[in-house]
Amino acid sequence: MTIAILGTGSVGKALANGFVSLGHTVRIGSRSGTKLTQWISETAPNVTEMNFKKIGDGADVFVLAVKGAHAEEVLHLVGKKQLKGKLVIDTTNPIDDDIPPKDGVLSYFTDINYSLMEILQTEFKEAEFVKAFSCVGAPLMVRPNMEGGRPTMFIAGNSDKAKKAVSDMLNSFGWDVNDMGTVVGARAIEPLAMLWCIPGFRTNSWSHALKMVPGA
């Protein structure tokens, strides 16, 4: 498949290399389309950078990997026509960058009863959003090597077909998957980033992941 990654930060870079390793054609998007020239030449020669307005041409899957505050704007730059009927893997969290963490706890600009992904799904009705990769740091997103075994990635979305595709990708990346239902499930998934970040802010420990332990 052709994967269009929207965002050039650590998440976008990590997932770009991960999808290349699975044999996909990978594009990474920025406003200019020239932000990562050196990184691509030195680290990721199989990744092509394009600007947001062109990256959707012929893309099969989109990965939204920008700051949550910029998510809606970037999707509008890509265009509703390009996103129609396409899987959009939403890695974003609604972190309020203007408010510093309090006792290690992030602040969000959304209400607990309405997630960022619900906002995006409402605005881009014909895209198939699936929340994933939102509750762990970029270095652990692809093939995490954890002493406690495979960690759990929590996903949500309205399309079972889209969630199956994302689950297959996550399994290839070394994750167990727990489906939290429709897009409404993102209300519970997005705050998991707060939980994941607390040890990082309090003790500078960022090498952990979450795991759902099955019952007997």
Side-chain angles (χ1 to χ4, degrees):
M1 294 187 293
T2 297
I3 311 289
I5 296 178
L6 310 177
T8 57
S10 58
V11 172
K13 290 175 182 176
L15 293 178
N17 281 326
F19 283 115
V20 165
S21 74
L22 295 181
H24 298 295
T25 298
V26 177
R27 304 169 180 171
I28 192 164
S30 63
R31 294 178 189 275
S32 67
T34 58
K35 188 175 181 179
L36 295 181
T37 302
Q38 183 175 352
W39 176 77
I40 289 172
S41 64
E42 295 178 354
T43 309
N46 293 318
V47 175
T48 301
E49 185 179 5
M50 303 176 71
N51 67 48
F52 290 134
K53 293 183 179 181
K54 294 182 179 180
I55 197 171
D57 294 342
D60 301 300
V61 175
F62 294 86
V63 180
L64 184 59
V66 296
K67 287 186 175 183
H70 304 308
E72 189 171 350
E73 176 192 3
V74 166
L75 290 174
H76 275 294
L77 288 174
V78 174
K80 291 185 176 182
K81 182 178 179 181
Q82 299 287 14
L83 296 168
K84 182 178 180 180
K86 298 296 178 67
L87 165 59
V88 180
I89 302 174
D90 176 20
T91 76
T92 65
N93 287 303
I95 298 170
D96 190 333
D97 291 326
D98 293 329
I99 303 176
K102 182 177 181 180
D103 294 334
V105 181
L106 292 166
S107 292
Y108 279 8
F109 58 76
T110 51
D111 182 88
I112 190 66
N113 293 315
Y114 203 62
S115 65
L116 175 57
M117 191 169 81
E118 288 175 277
I119 295 171
L120 299 176
Q121 183 67 84
T122 299
E123 177 65 18
F124 300 89
K125 291 181 172 60
E126 297 188 35
E128 297 181 345
F129 284 83
V130 176
K131 179 68 72 176
F133 297 108
S134 63
C135 56
V136 73
L140 297 175
M141 288 182 174
V142 179
R143 301 182 184 89
N145 184 18
M146 315 298 292
E147 289 186 7
R150 289 165 64 107
T152 303
M153 184 61 68
F154 299 90
I155 68 171
N158 292 337
S159 168
D160 289 336
K161 180 180 178 181
K163 287 190 289 187
K164 174 63 167 60
V166 174
S167 295
D168 290 344
M169 294 173 188
L170 287 165
N171 184 64
S172 296
F173 283 164
W175 289 88
D176 289 337
V177 179
N178 203 298
D179 185 351
M180 295 288 104
T182 68
V183 64
V184 178
R187 299 180 191 179
I189 296 174
E190 290 177 359
L192 292 177
M194 291 184 180
L195 182 66
W196 184 84
C197 284
I198 291 173
F201 289 126
R202 290 177 62 86
T203 67
N204 199 32
S205 173
W206 301 94
S207 58
H208 54 279
L210 305 178
K211 186 174 181 65
M212 178 77 82
V213 180

